[in-house]
Amino acid sequence: MSVSKNPDACPVSILMSLLSGPWTMYILWVLCNSGPTRFGALKHLVEGISTKVLTERLRMLEAAEIIYRQYEPTVPPQVTYGLTKRGQELIEILHQLNALAERWYGSQQREHSNSNI
Amino acid sequence: MSVSKNPDACPVSILMSLLSGPWTMYILWVLCNSGPTRFGALKHLVEGISTKVLTERLRMLEAAEIIYRQYEPTVPPQVTYGLTKRGQELIEILHQLNALAERWYGSQQREHSNSNI
DNA sequence: CGGAATCCCGCAGGATACTG
DNA sequence: CAGTATCCTGCGGGATTCCG
């Protein structure tokens, strides 16, 4: 999923194309609120997502160094995902975007009212 | 194109879903750099976009009050698009995102080096 | 448990033609 | 000039099955 198809995409477009796809923001939001989380738990928290897409998004975010992947070769194996430093930086700006969005659309309180992204 | 398919999408997801689609950010970038621009000019500046998608994006951004549409019923008609106050606010945050992106990916200078979004 | 592989399908986006 | 209308296609995402 691309934000811009132009060859001369600016850096922010690269970033946006990372965040654009379905589920991506939600995954970050969950990782932000729940802290480091294992794959299975993530799949439950991000309700309705398929393993395929979850895996794709995690790989993508990992490649972008926005999240990290910690693999423990136990049996059964344990894989934990969490926000990196970059992830934290990104989240901060997303908070600003969220503040803007709430001013525009009004901040309807929802069930999970603990600071959304 | 949706960012999150969850019913309880947070405001920032609403915003992101607006910005997510192909071309959208690029259109905003052009409007930011070129100021108010007519449809035809926009279609040339955003090279490669189809009239269908350009129209869709403009309608979407207009509905979100991020851009305005000024119609002059002359013959031939003139329609000019530009950033609204909201559009300016949004651009400011996108600049921050861009700054982040440049730090991460390095700021390769490109042909149009006048302040990207 | 944490995926990879495979198949399938809807719909977003491209191309083209036409209009007030 | 600034769009609509129509048709067509690719591919992104869902569901399912299998593996170390």
Side-chain angles (χ1 to χ4, degrees), chain A residues 2-15:
Chain A
S2 67
V3 166
S4 165
K5 295 192 173 176
N6 303 85
D8 48 61
C10 55
V12 73
S13 285
I14 301 178
L15 245 186

PDB file of all heavy atoms in Angstrom, chain A residues 2-15:
ATOM      1  N   SER A   2       0.754   2.020  -1.000  1.00  0.00           N
ATOM      2  CA  SER A   2       1.626   3.178  -1.086  1.00  0.00           C
ATOM      3  C   SER A   2       0.852   4.469  -0.914  1.00  0.00           C
ATOM      4  O   SER A   2      -0.291   4.588  -1.310  1.00  0.00           O
ATOM      5  CB  SER A   2       2.335   3.191  -2.430  1.00  0.00           C
ATOM      6  OG  SER A   2       1.405   3.407  -3.461  1.00  0.00           O
ATOM      7  N   VAL A   3       1.520   5.421  -0.305  1.00  0.00           N
ATOM      8  CA  VAL A   3       0.903   6.723  -0.118  1.00  0.00           C
ATOM      9  C   VAL A   3       1.063   7.540  -1.377  1.00  0.00           C
ATOM     10  O   VAL A   3       0.157   8.186  -1.844  1.00  0.00           O
ATOM     11  CB  VAL A   3       1.540   7.451   1.075  1.00  0.00           C
ATOM     12  CG1 VAL A   3       1.166   8.907   1.069  1.00  0.00           C
ATOM     13  CG2 VAL A   3       1.109   6.797   2.356  1.00  0.00           C
ATOM     14  N   SER A   4       2.272   7.466  -1.919  1.00  0.00           N
ATOM     15  CA  SER A   4       2.532   8.186  -3.151  1.00  0.00           C
ATOM     16  C   SER A   4       3.211   7.245  -4.116  1.00  0.00           C
ATOM     17  O   SER A   4       4.051   6.454  -3.727  1.00  0.00           O
ATOM     18  CB  SER A   4       3.430   9.380  -2.869  1.00  0.00           C
ATOM     19  OG  SER A   4       3.969   9.874  -4.075  1.00  0.00           O
ATOM     20  N   LYS A   5       2.852   7.287  -5.352  1.00  0.00           N
ATOM     21  CA  LYS A   5       3.487   6.430  -6.322  1.00  0.00           C
ATOM     22  C   LYS A   5       4.602   7.158  -7.044  1.00  0.00           C
ATOM     23  O   LYS A   5       5.184   6.654  -7.982  1.00  0.00           O
ATOM     24  CB  LYS A   5       2.444   5.922  -7.313  1.00  0.00           C
ATOM     25  CG  LYS A   5       1.420   5.043  -6.640  1.00  0.00           C
ATOM     26  CD  LYS A   5       0.567   4.304  -7.614  1.00  0.00           C
ATOM     27  CE  LYS A   5      -0.311   3.308  -6.880  1.00  0.00           C
ATOM     28  NZ  LYS A   5      -1.234   2.609  -7.742  1.00  0.00           N
ATOM     29  N   ASN A   6       4.883   8.359  -6.617  1.00  0.00           N
ATOM     30  CA  ASN A   6       5.896   9.136  -7.301  1.00  0.00           C
ATOM     31  C   ASN A   6       7.277   8.655  -6.927  1.00  0.00           C
ATOM     32  O   ASN A   6       7.545   8.366  -5.768  1.00  0.00           O
ATOM     33  CB  ASN A   6       5.730  10.606  -6.942  1.00  0.00           C
ATOM     34  CG  ASN A   6       4.339  11.075  -7.290  1.00  0.00           C
ATOM     35  OD1 ASN A   6       3.439  10.904  -6.507  1.00  0.00           O
ATOM     36  ND2 ASN A   6       4.179  11.606  -8.462  1.00  0.00           N
ATOM     37  N   PRO A   7       8.141   8.580  -7.920  1.00  0.00           N
ATOM     38  CA  PRO A   7       9.512   8.138  -7.687  1.00  0.00           C
ATOM     39  C   PRO A   7      10.214   9.018  -6.661  1.00  0.00           C
ATOM     40  O   PRO A   7      11.023   8.537  -5.888  1.00  0.00           O
ATOM     41  CB  PRO A   7      10.161   8.274  -9.071  1.00  0.00           C
ATOM     42  CG  PRO A   7       9.270   9.178  -9.860  1.00  0.00           C
ATOM     43  CD  PRO A   7       7.910   8.947  -9.313  1.00  0.00           C
ATOM     44  N   ASP A   8       9.863  10.277  -6.638  1.00  0.00           N
ATOM     45  CA  ASP A   8      10.523  11.205  -5.741  1.00  0.00           C
ATOM     46  C   ASP A   8       9.767  11.364  -4.433  1.00  0.00           C
ATOM     47  O   ASP A   8       9.597  12.459  -3.925  1.00  0.00           O
ATOM     48  CB  ASP A   8      10.671  12.565  -6.416  1.00  0.00           C
ATOM     49  CG  ASP A   8       9.368  12.983  -7.044  1.00  0.00           C
ATOM     50  OD1 ASP A   8       8.381  13.125  -6.314  1.00  0.00           O
ATOM     51  OD2 ASP A   8       9.332  13.154  -8.268  1.00  0.00           O
ATOM     52  N   ALA A   9       9.307  10.246  -3.912  1.00  0.00           N
ATOM     53  CA  ALA A   9       8.566  10.297  -2.660  1.00  0.00           C
ATOM     54  C   ALA A   9       9.434  10.915  -1.563  1.00  0.00           C
ATOM     55  O   ALA A   9      10.590  10.559  -1.416  1.00  0.00           O
ATOM     56  CB  ALA A   9       8.129   8.911  -2.243  1.00  0.00           C
ATOM     57  N   CYS A  10       8.853  11.815  -0.807  1.00  0.00           N
ATOM     58  CA  CYS A  10       9.590  12.438   0.268  1.00  0.00           C
ATOM     59  C   CYS A  10       9.567  11.526   1.488  1.00  0.00           C
ATOM     60  O   CYS A  10       8.734  10.625   1.587  1.00  0.00           O
ATOM     61  CB  CYS A  10       8.999  13.809   0.579  1.00  0.00           C
ATOM     62  SG  CYS A  10       7.252  13.788   0.946  1.00  0.00           S
ATOM     63  N   PRO A  11      10.493  11.738   2.416  1.00  0.00           N
ATOM     64  CA  PRO A  11      10.616  10.872   3.588  1.00  0.00           C
ATOM     65  C   PRO A  11       9.297  10.626   4.307  1.00  0.00           C
ATOM     66  O   PRO A  11       9.018   9.503   4.717  1.00  0.00           O
ATOM     67  CB  PRO A  11      11.592  11.641   4.466  1.00  0.00           C
ATOM     68  CG  PRO A  11      12.448  12.381   3.509  1.00  0.00           C
ATOM     69  CD  PRO A  11      11.542  12.766   2.384  1.00  0.00           C
ATOM     70  N   VAL A  12       8.512  11.679   4.440  1.00  0.00           N
ATOM     71  CA  VAL A  12       7.277  11.501   5.191  1.00  0.00           C
ATOM     72  C   VAL A  12       6.350  10.527   4.471  1.00  0.00           C
ATOM     73  O   VAL A  12       5.585   9.802   5.098  1.00  0.00           O
ATOM     74  CB  VAL A  12       6.558  12.852   5.429  1.00  0.00           C
ATOM     75  CG1 VAL A  12       5.934  13.363   4.167  1.00  0.00           C
ATOM     76  CG2 VAL A  12       5.543  12.715   6.532  1.00  0.00           C
ATOM     77  N   SER A  13       6.439  10.484   3.165  1.00  0.00           N
ATOM     78  CA  SER A  13       5.621   9.538   2.412  1.00  0.00           C
ATOM     79  C   SER A  13       6.068   8.113   2.678  1.00  0.00           C
ATOM     80  O   SER A  13       5.256   7.194   2.745  1.00  0.00           O
ATOM     81  CB  SER A  13       5.689   9.835   0.913  1.00  0.00           C
ATOM     82  OG  SER A  13       4.920  10.979   0.617  1.00  0.00           O
ATOM     83  N   ILE A  14       7.383   7.936   2.823  1.00  0.00           N
ATOM     84  CA  ILE A  14       7.895   6.613   3.169  1.00  0.00           C
ATOM     85  C   ILE A  14       7.283   6.179   4.493  1.00  0.00           C
ATOM     86  O   ILE A  14       6.771   5.070   4.630  1.00  0.00           O
ATOM     87  CB  ILE A  14       9.431   6.641   3.297  1.00  0.00           C
ATOM     88  CG1 ILE A  14      10.066   7.094   1.976  1.00  0.00           C
ATOM     89  CG2 ILE A  14       9.959   5.274   3.705  1.00  0.00           C
ATOM     90  CD1 ILE A  14      11.578   7.202   2.039  1.00  0.00           C
ATOM     91  N   LEU A  15       7.320   7.086   5.434  1.00  0.00           N
ATOM     92  CA  LEU A  15       6.760   6.789   6.754  1.00  0.00           C
ATOM     93  C   LEU A  15       5.269   6.510   6.670  1.00  0.00           C
ATOM     94  O   LEU A  15       4.774   5.544   7.251  1.00  0.00           O
ATOM     95  CB  LEU A  15       6.987   7.985   7.680  1.00  0.00           C
ATOM     96  CG  LEU A  15       7.893   7.762   8.870  1.00  0.00           C
ATOM     97  CD1 LEU A  15       7.903   8.975   9.772  1.00  0.00           C
ATOM     98  CD2 LEU A  15       7.474   6.533   9.636  1.00  0.00           C
TER      99      LEU A  15
END
